[in-house]
Amino acid sequence: MFSNDNLCSLRWDPVGQAVEIIDQTLLPHTLRWCHLDSLAVFCHAISSMQVRGAPLIGITAAFGLARALTEDASTENLERASAALLATRPTAVNLRWALQLVAGAVYGLEPARRAEAALNKALALRGEDIANCARIGEHGLQLLRALQVDGTLNIMTHCNAGWLATIQWGTALAPVYKAFAAGTSVHVWVSETRPRNQGMNLTAWELQRAGVPCTIVADNSCGQLMREGRVDCVIVGSDRTAANGDVCNKVGTYLKALAARANDVPFYVAVPESTIDWSCVSGARIPIEERDEAEILTIAGLDAAGEVREVNLAAPGSRALNPAFDITPAELVSALVTEHGSFAASPDGLARLKLAK
Ligand code: MRU
């Protein structure tokens, strides 16, 4: 029987008083848990993408701030540590959201009580993330059921918005796991997600571990698959959703949304409320992270001897541009699937979300 209970990306060890994460830069070849035990190590884990995915970035930062306060609980250090964590990655709004919640929980307290209060807040956010993703799964399941597909339901996804990107369940993959657990025949088209290949390296790994049938496809083949009628819906996550319903997600999402619209394929975005930036009026205002060109020009994989090796792909001296995210305009989104239900990607739809809470 399928269960998501034992799968998690970040755990708290109450005996060792330590945070442990799966180092996602080593997947799918090595599953290694790492201790995060100082502010610098937390910052490195986020910026180097040992942890990634908007919800997990936020929760990790919350624990990082709590950790920093165990060393120095002064207001100056609270502000310094928050700024250091906030600077690790610019796009996922969950980072700012989580840091503000932890800081808000401790500001008014005596320094001696701050570290414990911050840890409790981080643990609470972790628990809420699990519950919210499970709810997104249930609401998304209703949408999948409404598709009334005869035979296997073919779902396409991009990047990784599974339990590796959250704590458990995931956002975009939660409805898939719920459908699979309910006995629905599902198959997932996993878009490889160049340049870092989170689809191939993380999503396919997750789905295979759970026993969910999936096939990795090159990013560039997704439009053709839709054209051939081999995709019943697309579900992706989001790093920041603007108040008008524009969605920022991993680069390549926009092209899938365009192809989905052209081929009458529903395009769903699974988004916890923590990923909605109510202060951001449109996608045009969302900062798009630009990462190192080496992510495009080189690639790592297992060689014949089972060793991980990095190789150059391009001619020496080639230059590359590496925007990590793109904006999908609200009008291309069929629905935003949240922990409060499914809503239109529009100011009106988001106003309804606020009322539904
Ligand atoms: O650069 P990454 O791997 O952090 O990007 C992750 C994504 O784009 C995910 O789709 C998004 O964070 C949603 S995760 C539930």
Side-chain angles (χ1 to χ4, degrees):
M1 160 83 177
F2 172 80
S3 159
N4 209 287
D5 293 347
N6 297 322
L7 308 173
C8 85
S9 59
L10 177 152
R11 61 193 182 201
W12 169 247
D13 168 13
V15 180
Q17 292 283 297
V19 168
E20 294 175 328
I21 53 127
I22 293 177
D23 181 348
Q24 298 190 25
T25 62
L26 304 179
L27 290 173
H29 307 301
T30 307
L31 174 57
R32 185 179 300 155
W33 286 87
C34 302
H35 282 257
L36 303 185
D37 55 9
S38 71
L39 175 63
V41 171
F42 272 92
C43 289
H44 173 75
I46 300 172
S47 59
S48 68
M49 295 179 63
Q50 287 178 310
V51 291
R52 28 66 53 204
L56 181 59
I57 290 171
I59 307 294
T60 306
F63 279 101
L65 188 51
R67 175 72 209 188
L69 294 177
T70 62
E71 282 154 22
D72 174 356
S74 66
T75 301
E76 297 72 53
N77 195 46
L78 174 60
E79 286 169 359
R80 205 169 30 238
S82 294
L85 287 159
L86 191 60
T88 51
R89 292 196 71 191
T91 301
V93 76
N94 304 61
L95 184 55
R96 184 183 80 196
W97 168 86
L99 290 169
Q100 283 178 346
L101 285 176
V102 174
V106 306
Y107 250 120
L109 301 178
E110 292 292 307
R113 295 178 50 214
R114 284 178 172 173
E116 190 187 352
L119 176 61
N120 286 337
K121 189 66 187 175
L123 287 167
L125 293 178
R126 182 184 181 280
E128 284 165 25
D129 187 73
I130 295 171
N132 288 338
C133 286
R135 285 191 201 106
I136 287 173
E138 294 295 343
H139 293 301
L141 180 59
Q142 304 309 317
L143 294 176
L144 296 185
R145 288 200 164 129
L147 291 174
Q148 293 186 328
V149 171
D150 223 8
T152 298
L153 183 64
N154 285 292
I155 301 163
M156 179 174 281
T157 192
H158 188 59
C159 194
N160 172 262
W163 62 265
L164 283 168
T166 62
I167 300 293
Q168 271 180 3
W169 290 108
T171 57
L173 291 193
V176 176
Y177 287 129
K178 293 278 182 184
F180 184 68
T184 304
S185 174
V186 291
H187 165 260
V188 183
W189 295 114
V190 178
S191 169
E192 61 179 347
T193 318
R194 281 280 290 152
R196 287 187 69 99
N197 293 318
Q198 290 95 326
M200 179 161 63
N201 295 347
L202 307 178
T203 299
W205 180 84
E206 261 196 40
L207 292 170
Q208 282 160 24
R209 274 174 68 99
V212 179
C214 65
T215 307
I216 298 168
V217 290
D219 297 324
N220 289 339
S221 67
C222 294
Q224 181 61 21
L225 288 172
M226 290 189 222
R227 228 177 132 76
E228 290 172 5
R230 299 168 76 184
V231 182
D232 296 306
C233 70
V234 181
I235 311 183
V236 298
S238 171
D239 291 84
R240 191 183 299 227
T241 293
N244 69 344
D246 287 351
V247 168
C248 179
N249 191 49
K250 180 55 54 192
V251 70
T253 301
Y254 176 41
L255 282 176
K256 282 187 180 59
L258 287 169
R261 174 56 54 91
N263 292 283
D264 284 329
V265 173
F267 185 88
Y268 300 124
V269 181
V271 41
E273 200 190 340
S274 55
T275 305
I276 300 173
D277 186 349
W278 298 103
S279 67
C280 181
V281 294
S282 98
R285 302 272 179 95
I286 296 175
I288 303 288
E289 177 179 18
E290 208 172 286
R291 295 187 62 86
D292 198 307
E293 64 177 2
E295 291 183 348
I296 292 178
L297 301 173
T298 65
I299 200 159
L302 278 190
D303 68 12
E307 299 289 330
V308 174
R309 289 210 190 285
E310 189 168 285
V311 294
N312 292 323
L313 292 172
S318 301
R319 303 305 310 268
L321 180 71
N322 187 11
F325 299 95
D326 63 23
I327 306 295
T328 298
E331 59 267 23
L332 296 180
V333 177
S334 307
L336 297 173
V337 189
T338 79
E339 65 271 42
H340 308 297
S342 297
F343 301 90
S346 65
D348 191 45
L350 288 169
R352 282 174 206 272
L353 183 157
K354 274 191 173 158
L355 288 176
K357 292 188 333 182

